Amino acid sequence: MVEDEVMTAMGTAVEQGRAGDRAGARRALTELWDTVGDQGDALHRCSIAHYLADLQDEIADELRWDQRALAAVTDLSDERARRYRDSFQVRAFLPSLHLNLADAHRRSGDFAEARRYLATAVEHVDALPDDDYGAMIRSGIGKVREAVEAGSRGPLAT
């Protein structure tokens, strides 16, 4: 596999955010997005938007980035994804992308859209690997489902 400088820089920014510097990570990822552009490499756009969504302070901004991530995945091929990581399959991205949209819509109070995206996440859950990542997404689907059924707009317990 070829070294992917954008994915490496993205990983560094994501770690920066996980270490508590959300504003710095948001700045770094926004700069990457600006470099890649709206028509750039689909893996880069999908990944950057996916992580940028998690770093937003406002739900409306989070939704916009989640929508960009989902839009970008439609341009992504398995062949391109596997050039970065052999195990990647585009279909396995879908449960997470739809789950994020379901949760953001839930927190914004749009339970109908939350249910719609949640149902789509469930439709693709069979594509998830049987590993910690797959377990995390499956668990997230259950948590968002419970919150939607309860009419909760609050953050999910971790």
Side-chain angles (χ1 to χ4, degrees):
M1 282 181 274
V2 177
E3 174 70 20
D4 188 322
E5 293 177 9
V6 172
M7 296 298 279
T8 300
M10 185 193 68
T12 300
V14 168
E15 288 306 314
Q16 182 180 7
R18 289 180 180 157
D21 184 6
R22 289 173 48 88
R26 189 170 44 239
R27 271 191 308 278
L29 288 172
T30 300
E31 288 173 13
L32 274 177
W33 178 268
D34 292 342
T35 299
V36 169
D38 289 343
Q39 300 303 313
D41 181 280
L43 178 62
H44 296 160
R45 287 184 290 125
C46 180
S47 301
I48 293 166
H50 178 68
Y51 287 110
L52 259 171
D54 293 340
L55 295 168
Q56 301 305 307
D57 294 327
E58 301 296 326
I59 294 173
D61 295 329
E62 182 178 342
L63 269 169
R64 276 191 289 279
W65 284 110
D66 282 334
Q67 289 164 341
R68 286 178 176 158
L70 185 61
V73 83
T74 63
D75 296 333
L76 183 58
S77 69
D78 283 339
E79 185 262 327
R80 167 56 185 111
R82 287 184 181 131
R83 281 198 320 254
Y84 176 67
R85 184 163 294 146
D86 288 338
S87 63
F88 274 10
Q89 292 181 22
V90 173
R91 191 166 178 271
F93 289 28
L94 298 177
S96 176
L97 296 174
H98 286 278
L99 173 61
N100 287 355
L101 279 158
D103 190 50
H105 279 292
R106 175 193 67 81
R107 287 182 290 116
S108 72
D110 189 343
F111 292 100
E113 279 297 283
R115 284 183 191 90
R116 186 173 74 82
Y117 280 106
L118 193 58
T120 305
V122 169
E123 285 175 19
H124 295 287
V125 79
D126 64 307
L128 289 171
D130 190 23
D131 60 9
D132 289 344
Y133 171 76
M136 177 186 69
I137 301 303
R138 286 179 185 93
S139 173
I141 288 171
K143 289 177 183 178
V144 171
R145 180 183 292 123
E146 288 174 12
V148 167
E149 289 172 2
S152 171
R153 293 179 61 177
L156 294 176
T158 56

